[in-house]
Amino acid sequence: MINWDAHACLPQHPLADFTPVRRLHAAGVNYVSLNVGADMNPVSQVMSVIAGYRATIAADPERYVLVSSVDDIIQAAADGRMAISFDLEGALPLLDQPDMVALYAQLGVRQIHFAYNRNNSVADGCHDVARGLTPLGHRMVQAVNDNGILMDCSHTGRLCSLEIMNASSQPVIFSHANPYTLVQHGRNVTDEQIRACAGTGGVVCMSGLSFFLGSDQPCAEDVARHAAYVADLVGVKHVGIGLDICFQQSDLDDTPPGAFDPSHWWPASAGYDINHPPSFTPPEVWRELPSALRKVGMNDKEVELVLGRNMMRVAQQVWSGPQALAKAA
């Protein structure tokens, strides 16, 4: 059994402490996608973070391995090591160049979504004016598909996400998003989006943030309740986990350089209060998820699907994309 956490955040700093990754591993997680930057982070910061994370992983090969295939993850689990790859939250680090996608893929990015809450030249954010996927966005979707990267629609506007899913030739995921029907927050996804994601063969991964679960102190039962809703709507084969735990480290300043305005990215009009950040499920919630999922009616096989096998299936297909297959030939 492989436990797969589709999205987690360390400080956006090259010297970030990986102790939280060890906590996830100790709680039973075999693979985690670590965020290396978002639309508010300039490329210089993103590249510095990637370099720092890669160095930390390389310096401790008995504990960590940077992976690019599902086979790598299975081998890492057998060896007792934590499998890691990276994700990008937004298209601004792509500099309007589809060729940047291939570069990030070579550096370990295996998952990307195109807009972090706000609109850009590629796609719409979920807290901005709806326009839809731009012509450049269509080329970016093709680049993501061609380079064997998971196409993510988290943080993306409803209309735009539907157009991305329609444009993609590969399964699309929501790496950390919950059903809007249960909690009416703009970051959550509608039944229409969930059905469209399932229609691509993709997976909707449950976030563990308080805002999106509707619980001030989120727990395994909250995550399971949202997972059960998606399973009932589109089938258990389209449910996963991406707890989106943000591990703060007070000794590191990872504030984006320049005129960074938190209220722009997390607007009060969308229900955010920058003086009162959300609470997160702790990594140890992974130990409680199997029991919580069984309590909402899932059997052991279904629990394994939700906790990892669904994302393994999608990654197996996507990460073996056209260029990846060509390189292996």
Side-chain angles (χ1 to χ4, degrees), residues 61-75:
E62 299 300 314
R63 182 172 280 151
Y64 312 119
V65 57
L66 187 64
V67 301
S68 59
S69 72
V70 170
D71 287 344
D72 290 343
I73 296 172
I74 294 171
Q75 185 62 56

Side-chain angles (χ1 to χ4, degrees), residues 105-124:
Q106 292 168 15
L107 294 174
V109 172
R110 311 308 305 159
Q111 180 176 299
I112 184 172
H113 60 75
F114 284 160
Y116 189 93
N117 292 350
R118 294 297 197 172
N119 293 359
N120 56 42
S121 61
V122 170
D124 297 349

